[in-house]
Amino acid sequence: MRGVCKAFPGVRALSDVNLEVRAGEVVAVIGENGAGKSTLMKILAGVQAPDAGELRVDGAAVRLRSVADAQRAGIALIHQELNLCDNLSVGANVMLGHERRRGPFVDEGQTRATAQAALARVGLPVDARRPLAGLSIGQQQLVEIAKALSIDARLLIMDEPTSSLTQSETEQLFGVVRELRRQGVSVVYISHRLFEIRELADRVVVLRDGCNAGELAGPDIEHSRMVALMVGRDVERFYQRRAHAPGEVALSVTGLRTAAWPRHAVDLQVCAGEIVGLAGLIGAGRSELLGTLFGVLPARGGAVRVRDRELTAGNPRRALELGLALVPEDRKQHGVVLDLSVRDNLSLPSLHRRARAGVFVDDGAERRLAESVVQRLSIKTPHVQQVVRYLSGGNQQKVVLGKGLALDPAVLLLDEPTRGIDVGAKAEIYALLHELAGRGLAILLASSEMEEVMGVCDRVLVMHEGRIAGELPRAEFSERRILELAVGAGPMAAGERRAQ
């Protein structure tokens, strides 16, 4: 790709960007949210057309007017949000759109055999006739890769492929990538997890503000150099934590039972000015606990009090009234309305506070709120009327966070608040959380990133199978202690098992 340019209304996404990928090479493309990574990959995959620049495959100029054109050129994009059909079989998903045919009819046997061969190539030992719905997220990720290989793709674009995977599934994916490289398949790998980049990439291409910021290769691929190129400065202290004296109890939970783990009761407290982490393995019940606290998921018993006022289970409106706000994990599904503006999204939960006569929205107040939040969170948008769909993932996440803060909550529930966020945006969010805690906000933060939990929180509650398996004060933080509790092997968890 040479001299690639692309602009959207009010935003210049790419300016004279170059990218070269050789056969059998893993090239990582990294940069802060809004740097232009996704736009560049969509152009390479035929999803969008460039405004200027050229693309060459095997030295010959090509024009990719569609995804089909890119696939014919041997290029396939594997999106972060998997594009699979739960109601079809594994094999049908692998071969969807290019089934083997006998005249006007689908040749079921040949289609299934081709799918099975593609599945074997990625090391997924499942029957192609099996329903896709029964597979884990990691297995579905491998189905997406098999789908790309079934069209003889020679260049795979992987966008945040490990964001929802367990450690073992991530290691399996890495093994598949290395095997594909050995077979001569090229991979463009996009990830905010820089330790993955160090482990996998032969070369790193860094984008910043829609332009090439530099390249690294071999031993030069190391954390500080990548960060410096991404943000244009050295990030000396990523977690600039400031201790705050906790105040009165802001959130009190007694005997809460979730629908996911109805036999396991949860007790916890979060004080004003405190950041409490929820750690645990995927499936431990962190998201279910936060959703139940806020009322979007049903409770099976127990009591919740916010600032000593009782919260009725299953009532999000009452939760908002009492000062409880939730920032959900899946921003596109539950956090923002993509086709509404930044202004509309930021004001949605608090419209009633800006209504005249209880009916008409005060446009001026709504605009001032949006402009204030945009400035406070450094949301990169040309104006508050910009449609959220056209913002980068990191800036969409800031909009979700801004919606909660616009309510001036007493307790903020955060579910994976930095998922898919680059290092620069993470540092900004961490600084904001400490500022909020310093003002007396109580924060309950669920995260699957061990470094984040240990770097940001004052206390950590570790969940295992729907219960709090143990609590660690900051002085006792260690990856080993947290993991022991997360897998049910810690001393506190063992004691609970003996008691039962």
Side-chain angles (χ1 to χ4, degrees), residues 68 71-72 85 88 91-101 106 111 147 150-151:
Q71 290 179 347
R72 281 189 286 271
C85 302
L88 298 180
N93 271 281
V94 170
M95 302 299 292
L96 192 62
H98 54 279
E99 297 85 355
R100 299 294 181 259
R101 294 186 175 274
V106 173
T111 296
K147 183 178 176 181
S150 71
I151 59 169

PDB file of all heavy atoms in Angstrom, residues 68 71-72 85 88 91-101 106 111 147 150-151:
ATOM      1  N   ALA A  68     -15.321  -9.079  -2.008  1.00  0.00           N
ATOM      2  CA  ALA A  68     -15.121 -10.188  -2.953  1.00  0.00           C
ATOM      3  C   ALA A  68     -13.857  -9.972  -3.781  1.00  0.00           C
ATOM      4  O   ALA A  68     -13.109 -10.921  -4.052  1.00  0.00           O
ATOM      5  CB  ALA A  68     -16.344 -10.329  -3.858  1.00  0.00           C
ATOM      6  N   GLN A  71     -10.948 -10.862  -1.570  1.00  0.00           N
ATOM      7  CA  GLN A  71     -10.839 -12.307  -1.395  1.00  0.00           C
ATOM      8  C   GLN A  71     -10.262 -12.971  -2.634  1.00  0.00           C
ATOM      9  O   GLN A  71      -9.467 -13.910  -2.531  1.00  0.00           O
ATOM     10  CB  GLN A  71     -12.208 -12.888  -1.053  1.00  0.00           C
ATOM     11  CG  GLN A  71     -12.696 -12.493   0.344  1.00  0.00           C
ATOM     12  CD  GLN A  71     -14.068 -13.039   0.668  1.00  0.00           C
ATOM     13  OE1 GLN A  71     -14.785 -13.514  -0.220  1.00  0.00           O
ATOM     14  NE2 GLN A  71     -14.459 -12.962   1.933  1.00  0.00           N
ATOM     15  N   ARG A  72     -10.649 -12.484  -3.825  1.00  0.00           N
ATOM     16  CA  ARG A  72     -10.068 -13.040  -5.052  1.00  0.00           C
ATOM     17  C   ARG A  72      -8.572 -12.747  -5.138  1.00  0.00           C
ATOM     18  O   ARG A  72      -7.820 -13.504  -5.757  1.00  0.00           O
ATOM     19  CB  ARG A  72     -10.794 -12.477  -6.278  1.00  0.00           C
ATOM     20  CG  ARG A  72     -12.131 -13.156  -6.546  1.00  0.00           C
ATOM     21  CD  ARG A  72     -12.712 -12.732  -7.883  1.00  0.00           C
ATOM     22  NE  ARG A  72     -13.250 -11.379  -7.828  1.00  0.00           N
ATOM     23  CZ  ARG A  72     -14.496 -11.090  -7.487  1.00  0.00           C
ATOM     24  NH1 ARG A  72     -15.338 -12.066  -7.165  1.00  0.00           N
ATOM     25  NH2 ARG A  72     -14.915  -9.834  -7.474  1.00  0.00           N
ATOM     26  N   CYS A  85     -22.654 -17.345  12.007  1.00  0.00           N
ATOM     27  CA  CYS A  85     -24.096 -17.581  12.175  1.00  0.00           C
ATOM     28  C   CYS A  85     -24.313 -18.724  13.162  1.00  0.00           C
ATOM     29  O   CYS A  85     -23.997 -19.886  12.853  1.00  0.00           O
ATOM     30  CB  CYS A  85     -24.747 -17.919  10.829  1.00  0.00           C
ATOM     31  SG  CYS A  85     -24.524 -16.648   9.571  1.00  0.00           S
ATOM     32  N   LEU A  88     -26.212 -22.062  12.153  1.00  0.00           N
ATOM     33  CA  LEU A  88     -25.676 -22.971  11.140  1.00  0.00           C
ATOM     34  C   LEU A  88     -24.610 -23.873  11.754  1.00  0.00           C
ATOM     35  O   LEU A  88     -24.120 -23.640  12.854  1.00  0.00           O
ATOM     36  CB  LEU A  88     -25.066 -22.179   9.980  1.00  0.00           C
ATOM     37  CG  LEU A  88     -26.005 -21.264   9.183  1.00  0.00           C
ATOM     38  CD1 LEU A  88     -25.233 -20.550   8.077  1.00  0.00           C
ATOM     39  CD2 LEU A  88     -27.164 -22.058   8.596  1.00  0.00           C
ATOM     40  N   GLY A  91     -19.260 -26.310   9.645  1.00  0.00           N
ATOM     41  CA  GLY A  91     -18.861 -26.401   8.245  1.00  0.00           C
ATOM     42  C   GLY A  91     -19.581 -25.394   7.365  1.00  0.00           C
ATOM     43  O   GLY A  91     -18.984 -24.806   6.455  1.00  0.00           O
ATOM     44  N   ALA A  92     -20.865 -25.188   7.619  1.00  0.00           N
ATOM     45  CA  ALA A  92     -21.630 -24.219   6.829  1.00  0.00           C
ATOM     46  C   ALA A  92     -21.079 -22.816   7.025  1.00  0.00           C
ATOM     47  O   ALA A  92     -21.043 -22.009   6.087  1.00  0.00           O
ATOM     48  CB  ALA A  92     -23.104 -24.272   7.210  1.00  0.00           C
ATOM     49  N   ASN A  93     -20.619 -22.508   8.237  1.00  0.00           N
ATOM     50  CA  ASN A  93     -20.007 -21.209   8.483  1.00  0.00           C
ATOM     51  C   ASN A  93     -18.682 -21.068   7.747  1.00  0.00           C
ATOM     52  O   ASN A  93     -18.396 -20.021   7.158  1.00  0.00           O
ATOM     53  CB  ASN A  93     -19.783 -21.010   9.982  1.00  0.00           C
ATOM     54  CG  ASN A  93     -20.973 -20.387  10.679  1.00  0.00           C
ATOM     55  OD1 ASN A  93     -21.191 -19.181  10.607  1.00  0.00           O
ATOM     56  ND2 ASN A  93     -21.775 -21.227  11.323  1.00  0.00           N
ATOM     57  N   VAL A  94     -17.880 -22.111   7.768  1.00  0.00           N
ATOM     58  CA  VAL A  94     -16.581 -22.065   7.088  1.00  0.00           C
ATOM     59  C   VAL A  94     -16.764 -21.823   5.591  1.00  0.00           C
ATOM     60  O   VAL A  94     -16.027 -21.044   4.973  1.00  0.00           O
ATOM     61  CB  VAL A  94     -15.805 -23.377   7.332  1.00  0.00           C
ATOM     62  CG1 VAL A  94     -14.566 -23.454   6.432  1.00  0.00           C
ATOM     63  CG2 VAL A  94     -15.401 -23.491   8.793  1.00  0.00           C
ATOM     64  N   MET A  95     -17.762 -22.433   4.988  1.00  0.00           N
ATOM     65  CA  MET A  95     -17.934 -22.397   3.537  1.00  0.00           C
ATOM     66  C   MET A  95     -18.996 -21.404   3.076  1.00  0.00           C
ATOM     67  O   MET A  95     -19.334 -21.374   1.891  1.00  0.00           O
ATOM     68  CB  MET A  95     -18.300 -23.799   3.041  1.00  0.00           C
ATOM     69  CG  MET A  95     -17.288 -24.876   3.368  1.00  0.00           C
ATOM     70  SD  MET A  95     -15.672 -24.555   2.624  1.00  0.00           S
ATOM     71  CE  MET A  95     -16.089 -24.769   0.878  1.00  0.00           C
ATOM     72  N   LEU A  96     -19.526 -20.601   3.978  1.00  0.00           N
ATOM     73  CA  LEU A  96     -20.630 -19.709   3.650  1.00  0.00           C
ATOM     74  C   LEU A  96     -20.250 -18.757   2.511  1.00  0.00           C
ATOM     75  O   LEU A  96     -19.282 -18.010   2.588  1.00  0.00           O
ATOM     76  CB  LEU A  96     -21.021 -18.901   4.890  1.00  0.00           C
ATOM     77  CG  LEU A  96     -22.333 -18.134   4.813  1.00  0.00           C
ATOM     78  CD1 LEU A  96     -23.508 -19.083   4.626  1.00  0.00           C
ATOM     79  CD2 LEU A  96     -22.540 -17.298   6.080  1.00  0.00           C
ATOM     80  N   GLY A  97     -21.035 -18.804   1.440  1.00  0.00           N
ATOM     81  CA  GLY A  97     -20.819 -17.926   0.301  1.00  0.00           C
ATOM     82  C   GLY A  97     -19.966 -18.530  -0.793  1.00  0.00           C
ATOM     83  O   GLY A  97     -19.929 -18.005  -1.916  1.00  0.00           O
ATOM     84  N   HIS A  98     -19.272 -19.620  -0.495  1.00  0.00           N
ATOM     85  CA  HIS A  98     -18.469 -20.277  -1.546  1.00  0.00           C
ATOM     86  C   HIS A  98     -18.578 -21.802  -1.407  1.00  0.00           C
ATOM     87  O   HIS A  98     -17.590 -22.536  -1.478  1.00  0.00           O
ATOM     88  CB  HIS A  98     -17.008 -19.819  -1.498  1.00  0.00           C
ATOM     89  CG  HIS A  98     -16.359 -19.988  -0.156  1.00  0.00           C
ATOM     90  ND1 HIS A  98     -16.530 -19.095   0.871  1.00  0.00           N
ATOM     91  CD2 HIS A  98     -15.528 -20.944   0.325  1.00  0.00           C
ATOM     92  CE1 HIS A  98     -15.844 -19.507   1.924  1.00  0.00           C
ATOM     93  NE2 HIS A  98     -15.227 -20.627   1.617  1.00  0.00           N
ATOM     94  N   GLU A  99     -19.800 -22.248  -1.193  1.00  0.00           N
ATOM     95  CA  GLU A  99     -20.058 -23.683  -1.076  1.00  0.00           C
ATOM     96  C   GLU A  99     -19.694 -24.405  -2.380  1.00  0.00           C
ATOM     97  O   GLU A  99     -19.772 -23.833  -3.474  1.00  0.00           O
ATOM     98  CB  GLU A  99     -21.540 -23.931  -0.766  1.00  0.00           C
ATOM     99  CG  GLU A  99     -22.018 -23.362   0.559  1.00  0.00           C
ATOM    100  CD  GLU A  99     -22.441 -21.906   0.497  1.00  0.00           C
ATOM    101  OE1 GLU A  99     -22.266 -21.285  -0.587  1.00  0.00           O
ATOM    102  OE2 GLU A  99     -22.925 -21.381   1.519  1.00  0.00           O
ATOM    103  N   ARG A 100     -19.285 -25.650  -2.260  1.00  0.00           N
ATOM    104  CA  ARG A 100     -19.003 -26.469  -3.445  1.00  0.00           C
ATOM    105  C   ARG A 100     -20.338 -26.866  -4.082  1.00  0.00           C
ATOM    106  O   ARG A 100     -21.290 -27.209  -3.379  1.00  0.00           O
ATOM    107  CB  ARG A 100     -18.202 -27.717  -3.059  1.00  0.00           C
ATOM    108  CG  ARG A 100     -16.852 -27.396  -2.441  1.00  0.00           C
ATOM    109  CD  ARG A 100     -15.930 -26.715  -3.467  1.00  0.00           C
ATOM    110  NE  ARG A 100     -14.626 -26.429  -2.903  1.00  0.00           N
ATOM    111  CZ  ARG A 100     -14.226 -25.255  -2.462  1.00  0.00           C
ATOM    112  NH1 ARG A 100     -15.074 -24.230  -2.502  1.00  0.00           N
ATOM    113  NH2 ARG A 100     -13.011 -25.077  -1.997  1.00  0.00           N
ATOM    114  N   ARG A 101     -20.376 -26.815  -5.399  1.00  0.00           N
ATOM    115  CA  ARG A 101     -21.653 -27.043  -6.098  1.00  0.00           C
ATOM    116  C   ARG A 101     -21.536 -28.151  -7.132  1.00  0.00           C
ATOM    117  O   ARG A 101     -20.476 -28.424  -7.686  1.00  0.00           O
ATOM    118  CB  ARG A 101     -22.134 -25.751  -6.771  1.00  0.00           C
ATOM    119  CG  ARG A 101     -22.503 -24.673  -5.777  1.00  0.00           C
ATOM    120  CD  ARG A 101     -23.110 -23.445  -6.459  1.00  0.00           C
ATOM    121  NE  ARG A 101     -23.558 -22.478  -5.464  1.00  0.00           N
ATOM    122  CZ  ARG A 101     -24.747 -22.500  -4.884  1.00  0.00           C
ATOM    123  NH1 ARG A 101     -25.612 -23.443  -5.198  1.00  0.00           N
ATOM    124  NH2 ARG A 101     -25.076 -21.590  -3.977  1.00  0.00           N
ATOM    125  N   VAL A 106     -25.993 -27.390  -4.076  1.00  0.00           N
ATOM    126  CA  VAL A 106     -24.832 -27.479  -3.193  1.00  0.00           C
ATOM    127  C   VAL A 106     -24.430 -28.934  -3.030  1.00  0.00           C
ATOM    128  O   VAL A 106     -25.271 -29.797  -2.759  1.00  0.00           O
ATOM    129  CB  VAL A 106     -25.150 -26.863  -1.809  1.00  0.00           C
ATOM    130  CG1 VAL A 106     -24.005 -27.118  -0.831  1.00  0.00           C
ATOM    131  CG2 VAL A 106     -25.432 -25.378  -1.932  1.00  0.00           C
ATOM    132  N   THR A 111     -18.588 -29.986   0.128  1.00  0.00           N
ATOM    133  CA  THR A 111     -18.528 -28.778   0.957  1.00  0.00           C
ATOM    134  C   THR A 111     -18.050 -29.118   2.356  1.00  0.00           C
ATOM    135  O   THR A 111     -17.183 -28.440   2.927  1.00  0.00           O
ATOM    136  CB  THR A 111     -19.915 -28.098   1.023  1.00  0.00           C
ATOM    137  OG1 THR A 111     -20.284 -27.665  -0.290  1.00  0.00           O
ATOM    138  CG2 THR A 111     -19.901 -26.908   1.966  1.00  0.00           C
ATOM    139  N   LYS A 147     -12.381 -20.287   7.861  1.00  0.00           N
ATOM    140  CA  LYS A 147     -13.229 -19.684   6.826  1.00  0.00           C
ATOM    141  C   LYS A 147     -12.378 -18.908   5.824  1.00  0.00           C
ATOM    142  O   LYS A 147     -12.581 -18.991   4.607  1.00  0.00           O
ATOM    143  CB  LYS A 147     -14.243 -18.766   7.510  1.00  0.00           C
ATOM    144  CG  LYS A 147     -15.258 -18.094   6.619  1.00  0.00           C
ATOM    145  CD  LYS A 147     -16.188 -17.268   7.503  1.00  0.00           C
ATOM    146  CE  LYS A 147     -17.188 -16.460   6.705  1.00  0.00           C
ATOM    147  NZ  LYS A 147     -18.059 -15.645   7.600  1.00  0.00           N
ATOM    148  N   SER A 150     -10.267 -21.287   3.699  1.00  0.00           N
ATOM    149  CA  SER A 150     -11.048 -22.065   2.733  1.00  0.00           C
ATOM    150  C   SER A 150     -11.187 -21.347   1.398  1.00  0.00           C
ATOM    151  O   SER A 150     -11.559 -21.959   0.400  1.00  0.00           O
ATOM    152  CB  SER A 150     -12.439 -22.380   3.300  1.00  0.00           C
ATOM    153  OG  SER A 150     -13.236 -21.209   3.357  1.00  0.00           O
ATOM    154  N   ILE A 151     -10.916 -20.027   1.389  1.00  0.00           N
ATOM    155  CA  ILE A 151     -10.931 -19.301   0.100  1.00  0.00           C
ATOM    156  C   ILE A 151      -9.502 -19.054  -0.384  1.00  0.00           C
ATOM    157  O   ILE A 151      -9.254 -18.178  -1.213  1.00  0.00           O
ATOM    158  CB  ILE A 151     -11.674 -17.961   0.236  1.00  0.00           C
ATOM    159  CG1 ILE A 151     -11.014 -17.070   1.293  1.00  0.00           C
ATOM    160  CG2 ILE A 151     -13.137 -18.169   0.572  1.00  0.00           C
ATOM    161  CD1 ILE A 151     -11.507 -15.640   1.298  1.00  0.00           C
TER     162      ILE A 151
END
